[in-house]
Amino acid sequence: MPAAQNHTPTPELSPRRPGFQASGLGVAMFSSAVFGLSGSFAKSLLETGWSPGAAVTARLTGAALILALPAAWALRGRWSQLKDNWLTIMLFGLIGVAACQLFYFNAVALLSVGVALLLEYLAPVIIVLWLWAASRRRPRVLTAGGTLLSLAGLVLVLDLTGAVKVDLVGVLWGMAAAVCLAIYFFITAKENDTLPPIVLAAGGLLVGAAAMWLAAATGLLPMAFSTADTTLGPWLTPWWVPLAGLVVLATVLAYVSGVMAARALGSKVASFVSLTEVLFAVVWAWLLLGELPGTIQLLGGVLIVGGVILVRLDELRSPATIAPYDGGKGTQVPASPLEHANDVEPVP
């Protein structure tokens, strides 16, 4: 690998204005808050007879249509960018959007929203274990400690000896969502400055929606819709209220604010702040659905999030390593295939 240039700092390492960072932090917290609504909105629909596939398809279709115009404006006639990045868009749409959401919504149908999301957030642990097995290089202390902490948290979240039994099928769906999320990070870890993030988001949503409709048309994916009223907190609402919230708040606004936060904070710091989504998801599920994980499961959630934080801290602390062939002169090379933070986070 050729030596990287040192005289120009990369965007992730360059200093940012304090005021700009402060506003970016608020936007990042807002993004986490609205992303965290997705499980509650989806579960309110699932409880009235919607199938997970129908909820995912409606969410992707609506969000893709809304983001189509901003994405076209971002391209401004540079349609060749779509051709050059078609594989990334396809993989993002099929795995990071369609499969990840479908598996997560299947988990939500059988588990509490908080437990389902905590299982999905094991993706960084899966990445660490995969890289360890593939490279046969032991991870650094913080990463190894964070992995062990998250695995201990998983045991508590499953609460195998508790009075309330966790649905095994729901757990498998949650773990499948985590695997899809890990694969997504591998797909988008490659540096890509040729495609605007909102174009990747809109393209991925469109591909994901098309894949869901195709699966439904061929009979592979059950589709069940309902126009029955839904319950959100103390309110009885028409079915389109949680659906609109799922599309507009938990997808479109969440994506746009997430991109804004990444631009203000740097994508690594923004993704670090996005860990608060777990907290928001639990609070929303408590307020809107009246469900709350048990004490042991909440403790397990704290361990999982703490473990992921340690892994993230290790990434933030070591954005680059010293090349072994440069005589210790400080030439920076990528520390791992995942050091580049993703332009667009997958929809949870």
Side-chain angles (χ1 to χ4, degrees):
M1 179 182 292
Q5 299 296 323
N6 291 321
H7 58 274
T8 302
T10 62
E12 289 295 319
L13 300 177
S14 57
R16 297 176 185 272
R17 297 190 303 275
F20 191 46
Q21 263 196 327
S23 63
L25 181 61
V27 174
M29 294 293 287
F30 172 79
S31 179
S32 292
V34 288
F35 260 133
L37 279 165
S38 64
S40 295
F41 282 142
K43 190 153 190 173
S44 69
L45 292 171
L46 300 179
E47 289 178 343
T48 63
W50 284 62
S51 66
V56 171
T57 303
R59 181 188 191 186
L60 299 188
T61 303
L65 292 175
I66 293 174
L67 287 177
L69 286 178
W73 181 85
L75 282 173
R76 288 192 286 274
R78 299 189 297 271
W79 303 109
S80 61
Q81 292 181 354
L82 295 178
K83 180 181 178 181
D84 295 339
N85 295 278
W86 71 269
L87 183 59
T88 298
I89 295 173
M90 289 289 292
L91 291 176
F92 171 66
L94 293 175
I95 298 176
V97 173
C100 193
Q101 281 190 65
L102 180 61
F103 296 162
Y104 172 60
F105 280 11
N106 274 315
V108 164
L110 300 171
L111 304 171
S112 70
V113 171
V115 170
L117 190 59
L118 286 169
L119 291 173
E120 186 179 3
Y121 261 76
L122 286 170
V125 177
I126 294 174
I127 291 171
V128 170
L129 294 176
W130 172 258
L131 290 176
W132 188 357
S135 65
R136 297 184 179 179
R137 289 185 300 177
R138 195 166 45 187
R140 294 187 295 266
V141 174
L142 276 182
T143 296
T147 301
L148 293 175
L149 198 64
S150 290
L151 291 176
L154 174 61
V155 174
L156 295 182
V157 164
L158 297 181
D159 195 13
L160 300 177
T161 60
V164 180
K165 297 300 180 183
V166 175
D167 191 289
L168 177 60
V169 176
V171 171
L172 293 177
W173 281 121
M175 295 300 294
V179 171
C180 286
L181 186 53
I183 294 173
Y184 159 81
F185 283 125
F186 279 111
I187 292 171
T188 57
K190 184 178 179 182
E191 191 78 46
N192 186 348
D193 297 325
T194 64
L195 193 66
I198 197 170
V199 176
L200 178 58
L205 289 166
L206 182 61
V207 168
M212 299 297 288
W213 284 114
L214 180 61
T218 55
L220 295 176
L221 184 67
M223 284 283 190
F225 300 88
S226 173
T227 57
D229 289 341
T230 61
T231 301
L232 289 174
W235 304 285
L236 191 66
T237 64
W239 61 271
W240 53 264
V241 171
L243 180 60
L246 190 61
V247 171
V248 178
L249 293 177
T251 307
V252 175
L253 283 182
Y255 257 125
V256 173
S257 58
V259 171
M260 292 170 60
R263 297 279 172 85
L265 298 175
S267 50
K268 279 190 176 180
V269 177
S271 64
F272 182 83
V273 177
S274 73
L275 291 174
T276 57
E277 180 192 337
V278 176
L279 173 62
F280 282 115
V282 170
V283 172
W284 286 127
W286 174 46
L287 294 176
L288 299 178
L289 302 175
E291 65 177 33
L292 193 65
T295 304
I296 294 296
Q297 292 177 316
L298 287 175
L299 177 58
V302 171
L303 294 183
I304 288 177
V305 174
V308 174
I309 286 175
L310 289 180
V311 174
R312 293 286 198 188
L313 283 175
D314 212 4
E315 291 177 357
L316 292 171
R317 155 180 97 88
S318 304
T321 57
I322 303 300
Y325 52 80
D326 72 347
K329 297 178 181 178
T331 301
Q332 294 183 334
V333 296
S336 80
L338 298 175
E339 285 298 341
H340 168 62
N342 306 283
D343 290 325
V344 178
E345 295 290 341
V347 183

